[in-house]
Amino acid sequence: MATSSNNNNNNNNLAVLTALDNARTQWYHVKAIIIAGMGFFTDAYDLFCITAVSKLLGRLYYYDPAAGQPGKLPQFVNNTVSGVALVGMFCGQLFFGWLGDKLGRKRVYGITLVIMVVCAVCSGISFGSTTKSVIGSLCFFRFWLGFGIGGDYPLSATIMCEYANKKTRGAFIAAVFAMQGVGIIFAGLVSMIMAKIFLVENPAPTFTENEILSTQPQGDLLWRLVLMLGALPAALTYYWRMKMPETGRYTALIRGNAEQAAKDMTRVLNMEIEEEQDKVIEFKQSNMYPILSNEFYSRHGLHLVGTMSTWFFLDIAFYSQNLTQKDIFPAMGLVNKAQDVNALEEVWETSRAMFLVALLGTFPGYWFTVAFIEKLGRYVIQLLGFLMMSIFLLIMGINYEYLRDNNKGLFALTYGLTFFFANFGPNSTTFVWPAELFPTRLRSTCHALSAAAGKAGAMIGAFVVQSYTLDENVGRIRHALMVLAFTNMLGFCFTFMLPETKGMSLEEISGEDGGGGAGRKEPRWGVKSPEIPVV
């Protein structure tokens, strides 16, 4: 495995890039993490709060008196409600990722936030009162919500990557992504608090005691408020996003405006930076190859296959776990059976279980990555995460009935550890790597392609894997868990296509500085590449 080089290997590097790479950590780094991170907080809240209320939707709109059980979303409707935002994300990532390279990171960044705010609010609004109109309106706006969220992925990663210094870049990007964990916690916490408030004001018998009265009509307002509150954090950060200057790398290397890049980064870094227009022109002309070219294929073809495939395999498991929590929780003993609670109690118990799993399993993993990514590197963390996820999912698959019936505590621990190693592992590193490996003019596009591959995997989780858990059939659940263990092992294998990038500047990694780039032995245009030790 290749480790990084800390050499300042040539004199061809632009002053503005050198200043960014070697800048000490200061307030603008922290502010960039907060601004970009709040987008991911919103993303996670909006995506996963639907898990807390989807069973409530079934009780409210799909109750059948002849069935003798609480209302339940039909399989196709359940999968659509959970997965339509992922379809939107897939489209949004591709569109906004490409647009971010064409128009600039900052200009597109504000557009995605506006879409997220408007569609989060509209997700709680129905056009009509019939079941079809309510669910149809919800799915329509959650698609466009996902479209905006999708754009946030490549833009947040690219902006943070291009602002950061090379020694702490991985930790900063991972910190932005770690706000996803906070968003998942708040999705459970907000739903739990709101459900408790509504439950205190609207007590009701259990479904077994009274089928009709067990579903409080006030639940219709509850799910709408839970979804609409996702607009608040995004709206609060809009002003600060618009105040951020365009990244110095984009201004210099894509627009070719050395003067503006130097001016912007002088203000940000609080230091004088030389313009160097001639060098900017040289850099730009040397890296004009398009993504559909032999040059890109020879330099970054394997990198792109590696980032896309590992994110694809990871998201099959990660989104399957998150979206099917409501169906796994009863087996873990974290919630009561649907017949033994009323509608609002079911929301409260599901939200509480979401909150506990996120707080104890999901959240710590993100921050372990932040703490160790510059020490262990991306490579080790991703391999470790994929391997441990495979082991724990396989254990659950093989011993599902024993764990469910005889050792619920061990079941909950094993399930929580899969989340921990997803986040102290590939869920974080698959976000970091595509932002670092590719040249500036294609960085947002390549990150978008990688993220979109992940969402293709997530859609498999939402529309296929989730179907195996809805009827609580033991054999189907065991089969799903073992398949997820296998997909994680595929992710482990495809990780070997990627080079280590810690400690290197973005131009060293991509070869934009004239060197060979990460994982390549020969320089491209006359500058000797740094020696990369092999361990």
Side-chain angles (χ1 to χ4, degrees), residues 70 79 81 87 108 144 159 206 213 224 226 241-242 253 255 290 329 338 346 401 408 413 422 454 473 519 523 535:
N79 292 353
V81 167
V87 179
V108 182
W144 290 107
I159 286 172
T206 66
L213 295 181
R224 297 175 191 274
V226 168
R241 279 201 181 190
M242 294 300 93
L253 303 184
R255 290 183 180 164
F329 287 155
E346 187 171 42
E401 290 175 277
K408 294 184 185 299
L413 176 63
N473 180 285
V535 295

Side-chain angles (χ1 to χ4, degrees), residues 283-290 441:
F283 258 74
K284 186 175 180 180
Q285 290 177 343
S286 299
N287 294 282
M288 290 297 289
Y289 55 90
R441 64 184 308 274

Side-chain angles (χ1 to χ4, degrees), residues 31-108:
K31 188 164 72 172
I33 290 171
I34 295 171
I35 294 169
M38 285 307 293
F40 270 90
F41 174 94
T42 305
D43 298 349
Y45 179 92
D46 288 336
L47 282 177
F48 297 115
C49 65
I50 196 67
T51 300
V53 299
S54 60
K55 284 197 171 185
L56 177 61
L57 293 172
R59 287 203 186 223
L60 287 168
Y61 301 113
Y62 288 90
Y63 170 62
D64 180 3
Q69 60 183 6
K72 191 173 184 180
L73 293 176
Q75 179 175 313
F76 175 76
V77 175
N78 181 81
N79 292 353
T80 303
V81 167
S82 299
V84 69
L86 300 175
V87 179
M89 286 179 70
F90 177 85
C91 300
Q93 284 164 341
L94 293 175
F95 177 72
F96 287 116
W98 168 80
L99 206 62
D101 282 335
K102 295 298 180 183
L103 300 183
R105 288 63 160 124
K106 177 186 173 180
R107 291 177 65 183
V108 182

Side-chain angles (χ1 to χ4, degrees), residues 42 62 69-70 86 118 136 240-241 254 273 289 355 386 414 423 449 458 466:
T42 305
Y62 288 90
Q69 60 183 6
L86 300 175
V118 171
W240 296 108
R241 279 201 181 190
I254 308 304
I273 299 175
Y289 55 90
F355 173 75
F386 269 130
T414 306
N423 297 307
L449 289 169
Q466 188 173 201

Side-chain angles (χ1 to χ4, degrees), residues 367-489:
W367 294 100
F368 265 67
T369 299
V370 174
F372 291 105
I373 193 168
E374 298 299 354
K375 297 181 177 68
L376 300 178
R378 293 81 167 129
Y379 197 81
V380 169
I381 290 175
Q382 182 155 306
L383 288 173
L384 175 67
F386 269 130
L387 179 62
M388 298 306 293
M389 286 177 70
S390 295
I391 291 172
F392 289 122
L393 285 166
L394 190 61
I395 289 172
M396 287 195 296
I398 293 173
N399 298 292
Y400 181 80
E401 290 175 277
Y402 167 77
L403 293 170
R404 183 195 64 181
D405 299 332
N406 301 302
N407 203 329
K408 294 184 185 299
L410 182 59
F411 191 6
L413 176 63
T414 306
Y415 187 67
L417 285 171
T418 64
F419 281 99
F420 175 81
F421 281 104
N423 297 307
F424 181 41
N427 193 41
S428 297
T429 50
T430 53
F431 180 77
V432 174
W433 243 325
E436 297 181 314
L437 281 170
F438 303 103
T440 307
R441 64 184 308 274
L442 298 172
R443 182 168 291 127
S444 180
T445 299
C446 290
H447 194 283
L449 289 169
S450 304
K455 291 306 151 289
M459 283 186 270
I460 293 175
F463 291 104
V464 180
V465 178
Q466 188 173 201
S467 302
Y468 282 71
T469 66
L470 291 176
D471 58 4
E472 300 182 20
N473 180 285
V474 171
R476 287 165 63 85
I477 292 175
R478 290 180 68 246
H479 180 67
L481 289 170
M482 287 188 277
V483 167
L484 295 180
F486 176 70
T487 61
N488 280 304
M489 281 310 301

Side-chain angles (χ1 to χ4, degrees), residues 6-227:
N6 294 316
N7 297 343
N8 290 322
N9 59 312
N10 61 70
N11 295 319
N12 292 329
N13 226 3
L14 294 168
V16 66
L17 305 184
T18 302
L20 285 165
D21 285 336
N22 298 310
R24 61 181 176 80
T25 300
Q26 50 192 284
W27 171 241
Y28 89 88
H29 288 118
V30 177
K31 188 164 72 172
I33 290 171
I34 295 171
I35 294 169
M38 285 307 293
F40 270 90
F41 174 94
T42 305
D43 298 349
Y45 179 92
D46 288 336
L47 282 177
F48 297 115
C49 65
I50 196 67
T51 300
V53 299
S54 60
K55 284 197 171 185
L56 177 61
L57 293 172
R59 287 203 186 223
L60 287 168
Y61 301 113
Y62 288 90
Y63 170 62
D64 180 3
Q69 60 183 6
K72 191 173 184 180
L73 293 176
Q75 179 175 313
F76 175 76
V77 175
N78 181 81
N79 292 353
T80 303
V81 167
S82 299
V84 69
L86 300 175
V87 179
M89 286 179 70
F90 177 85
C91 300
Q93 284 164 341
L94 293 175
F95 177 72
F96 287 116
W98 168 80
L99 206 62
D101 282 335
K102 295 298 180 183
L103 300 183
R105 288 63 160 124
K106 177 186 173 180
R107 291 177 65 183
V108 182
Y109 211 28
I111 298 172
T112 62
L113 204 63
V114 170
I115 293 174
M116 288 160 59
V117 171
V118 171
C119 291
V121 172
C122 291
S123 293
I125 299 173
S126 300
F127 296 133
S129 57
T130 66
T131 295
K132 286 186 177 180
S133 65
V134 171
I135 299 301
S137 298
L138 174 62
C139 291
F140 175 80
F141 286 115
R142 281 190 65 80
F143 171 85
W144 290 107
L145 174 65
F147 191 75
I149 291 172
D152 217 46
Y153 270 66
L155 293 169
S156 290
T158 299
I159 286 172
M160 193 68 250
C161 182
E162 292 180 352
Y163 266 121
N165 64 58
K166 64 182 181 180
K167 290 184 178 179
T168 57
R169 183 183 59 244
F172 288 169
I173 303 171
V176 169
F177 194 64
M179 290 300 291
Q180 186 182 78
V182 182
I184 296 173
I185 286 176
F186 269 79
L189 181 62
V190 171
S191 303
M192 182 171 63
I193 293 172
M194 295 289 291
K196 193 65 174 180
I197 292 171
F198 273 68
L199 187 57
V200 169
E201 295 296 322
N202 304 281
T206 66
F207 182 85
T208 302
E209 294 169 339
N210 190 310
E211 294 186 10
I212 303 298
L213 295 181
S214 68
T215 300
Q216 300 95 321
Q218 294 82 3
D220 188 67
L221 176 61
L222 171 62
W223 72 262
R224 297 175 191 274
L225 289 176
V226 168
L227 298 187

